[in-house]
Amino acid sequence: MSNNKKSQSEDTQWPLWEVFTQPRDGKPHEHAGSLHAPDAEKALENARDVYTRRKEAVNIWVVPSDQIVASKGEDEGPFFDPADDKPYRHPQFYSVPRATKRRS
Amino acid sequence: MSTATKELTKQEALFEYLVRLADDRLILGHRLSEWCGHGPILEEDIALANIALDYIGHAANLYEYAVEIEDEGRHRDDLVYFRNDPEYKNLKLVELPKGDFGFTIARQFLFSSYSYYLYQLLSDVEDEQFRGIVEKHFKEVKYHLRHSREWVLRLGDGTEESHERIQNAFDDIWTYTGELFYQDEVEKLLQSNNLAADTTQFKKDWKNLVSDTLEEATLDVPDFDQFMVEGSRNGLHTEHLGHLLAEMQHLRRSYPDADWQ
């Protein structure tokens, strides 16, 4: 416990931010990666420099990483296992026309 | 060639003006690139390297157009690698060693706020190609201003140490800002042909932006009317430029036929 506290105080890095970029108008924002920044404005600027220098995005979101609530690894079973015994949840009885493109 | 003073032609003036603009950006880009791998934090390292690349790109475009205007078959590399320091016309402001991060940011802010107004006026020059170059660079210049201004606010209004360091940087560098507004017959001739920016037109705006930002950053605004160094545009430089050029030109001068291919 005390060990943990010590390592925290020695961490001189700025807070961590998650970066989401929108590739084009109308497209959803996608997680691009994370970075360190002292505050939101600098996080946006850093995100621009790190993730969008080659026209990858038209918009950026930055979110403090510690504000993201994530499911836990041990939740895996009950959270994500498909109800395989409920076939009506899977539209597998329809044949997909060959001309239909896969969503990229 | 006659030794009598001959009239400066529009073409010669434009060549000289483009080279001045390009030299400022090349040398500052080189100085900034010295941060690559040494930035205070990875993200800032990337940001500074990106800005350095922007400047070097701007310089490349301007040199390219300059040799085209000159029309003597020179390549832009001839200007970059085979001129000595008295032939370089960059401001002394941009050749000063990179210093600490505070110094770098203070210089970036003073130069990019100046560039911002300069490019605004240059957007109207009566030369399509020049205007095209300006338009392309202006977007990046706006970002450089935002980046450095935000840093000035944070360092000035940050810790005791950051405040002191950036205040010292501004105090030290102030005497090099007078040259930003230097004008001579080259610029006057071009101005009358609407080919150069009249810097007196935006000096007040620049002063306001600089003092407002420094005040917001809780910094003292140095005296605008103090002693100012001069001579850059006539090839007078600090001792630092020679060292920078020696490093930058060494390879190309040792192997003049060196090529990217």
Side-chain angles (χ1 to χ4, degrees):
Chain A
M1 198 63 183
S2 63
N3 214 353
N4 190 19
K5 212 167 187 182
K6 191 166 166 243
S7 71
Q8 266 182 2
S9 67
E10 279 172 4
D11 184 6
T12 56
Q13 295 261 56
W14 290 326
L16 195 65
W17 300 73
E18 298 302 322
V19 178
F20 299 83
T21 52
Q22 187 184 26
R24 285 199 307 281
D25 270 348
K27 287 273 177 189
H29 285 68
E30 287 167 11
H31 188 232
S34 52
L35 47 74
H36 293 96
D39 53 54
E41 165 64 25
K42 274 289 162 194
L44 272 180
E45 289 181 14
N46 287 347
R48 177 260 186 201
D49 276 314
V50 177
Y51 296 111
T52 68
R53 283 276 292 179
R54 289 163 198 87
K55 288 201 166 179
E56 292 94 335
V58 294
N59 191 261
I60 304 173
W61 287 349
V62 288
V63 182
S65 301
D66 61 9
Q67 294 297 306
I68 290 185
V69 182
S71 59
K72 299 200 170 49
E74 60 260 32
D75 286 341
E76 205 183 324
F79 238 63
F80 300 113
D81 268 358
D84 283 336
D85 56 343
K86 295 173 184 162
Y88 51 85
R89 287 195 169 171
H90 302 275
Q92 60 199 352
F93 308 110
Y94 304 93
S95 56
V96 180
R98 230 189 305 161
T100 307
K101 274 192 184 157
R102 282 177 62 122
R103 188 178 168 272
S104 61
Chain B
M1 191 167 164
S2 139
T3 51
T5 330
K6 61 179 181 63
E7 197 85 0
L8 184 75
T9 67
K10 200 167 87 178
Q11 180 201 15
E12 286 163 344
L14 185 55
F15 171 77
E16 174 71 19
Y17 189 62
L18 291 166
V19 167
R20 287 176 185 181
L21 291 173
D23 285 351
D24 286 347
R25 282 145 191 86
L26 176 74
I27 300 300
L28 186 54
H30 192 87
R31 275 291 177 235
L32 215 47
S33 72
E34 292 173 351
W35 278 104
C36 188
H38 300 273
I41 193 160
L42 178 65
E43 288 79 358
E44 193 52 33
D45 196 296
I46 296 171
L48 292 175
N50 280 341
I51 295 172
L53 279 177
D54 289 345
Y55 282 134
I56 291 167
H58 296 181
N61 296 148
L62 291 161
Y63 284 130
E64 218 159 83
Y65 190 39
V67 292
E68 194 182 315
I69 292 286
E70 187 190 39
D71 199 22
E72 282 181 11
R74 283 210 279 182
H75 186 269
R76 66 181 186 200
D77 282 6
D78 296 326
L79 295 178
V80 173
Y81 296 112
F82 298 98
R83 280 183 305 153
N84 294 319
D85 44 333
E87 295 158 286
Y88 264 83
K89 302 299 173 59
N90 60 277
L91 301 162
K92 291 192 186 82
L93 175 78
V94 300
E95 73 198 32
L96 299 172
K98 76 183 203 303
D100 63 7
F101 185 63
F103 183 88
T104 292
I105 290 301
R107 167 163 59 193
Q108 283 309 116
F109 172 64
L110 292 170
F111 186 79
S112 28
S113 51
Y114 163 77
S115 284
Y116 174 81
Y117 290 114
L118 182 75
Y119 272 86
Q120 216 168 36
L121 284 190
L122 289 178
S123 306
D124 291 326
V125 289
E126 269 173 51
D127 180 300
E128 208 186 330
Q129 195 163 339
F130 191 10
R131 216 167 47 230
I133 293 174
V134 167
E135 210 171 289
K136 214 172 127 219
H137 299 177
F138 196 17
K139 275 186 264 177
E140 292 174 348
V141 169
K142 287 177 189 165
Y143 180 69
H144 300 168
L145 175 56
R146 174 171 168 172
H147 170 266
S148 58
R149 189 177 172 279
E150 292 292 340
W151 264 124
V152 170
L153 298 177
R154 280 159 184 76
L155 295 178
D157 197 10
T159 65
E160 209 173 298
E161 184 181 354
S162 71
H163 177 93
E164 195 188 319
R165 283 203 191 199
I166 192 141
Q167 181 72 63
N168 290 342
F170 275 116
D171 293 344
D172 289 348
I173 210 171
W174 211 256
T175 176
Y176 294 94
T177 56
E179 286 191 325
L180 294 171
F181 300 94
Y182 172 84
Q183 295 195 342
D184 62 4
E185 72 276 11
V186 170
E187 316 212 353
K188 297 268 162 59
L189 174 69
L190 293 175
Q191 280 163 21
S192 60
N193 288 284
N194 197 10
L195 282 168
D198 178 0
T199 52
T200 55
Q201 277 186 33
F202 63 80
K203 194 169 180 179
K204 213 175 130 219
D205 292 332
W206 176 80
K207 278 183 176 178
N208 288 341
L209 175 60
V210 169
S211 15
D212 289 352
T213 304
L214 264 65
E215 275 162 22
E216 195 182 333
T218 73
L219 294 164
D220 296 329
V221 182
D223 178 12
F224 279 103
D225 299 319
Q226 61 181 278
F227 165 81
M228 292 288 177
V229 298
E230 48 191 34
S232 296
R233 299 303 192 200
N234 297 313
L236 294 176
H237 293 285
T238 66
E239 71 270 30
H240 308 295
L241 182 64
H243 293 283
L244 184 152
L245 293 181
E247 191 179 54
M248 187 178 81
Q249 297 179 333
H250 163 261
L251 186 110
R252 191 61 198 275
R253 288 201 184 213
S254 308
Y255 304 95
D257 300 327
D259 200 299
W260 288 107
Q261 268 95 53

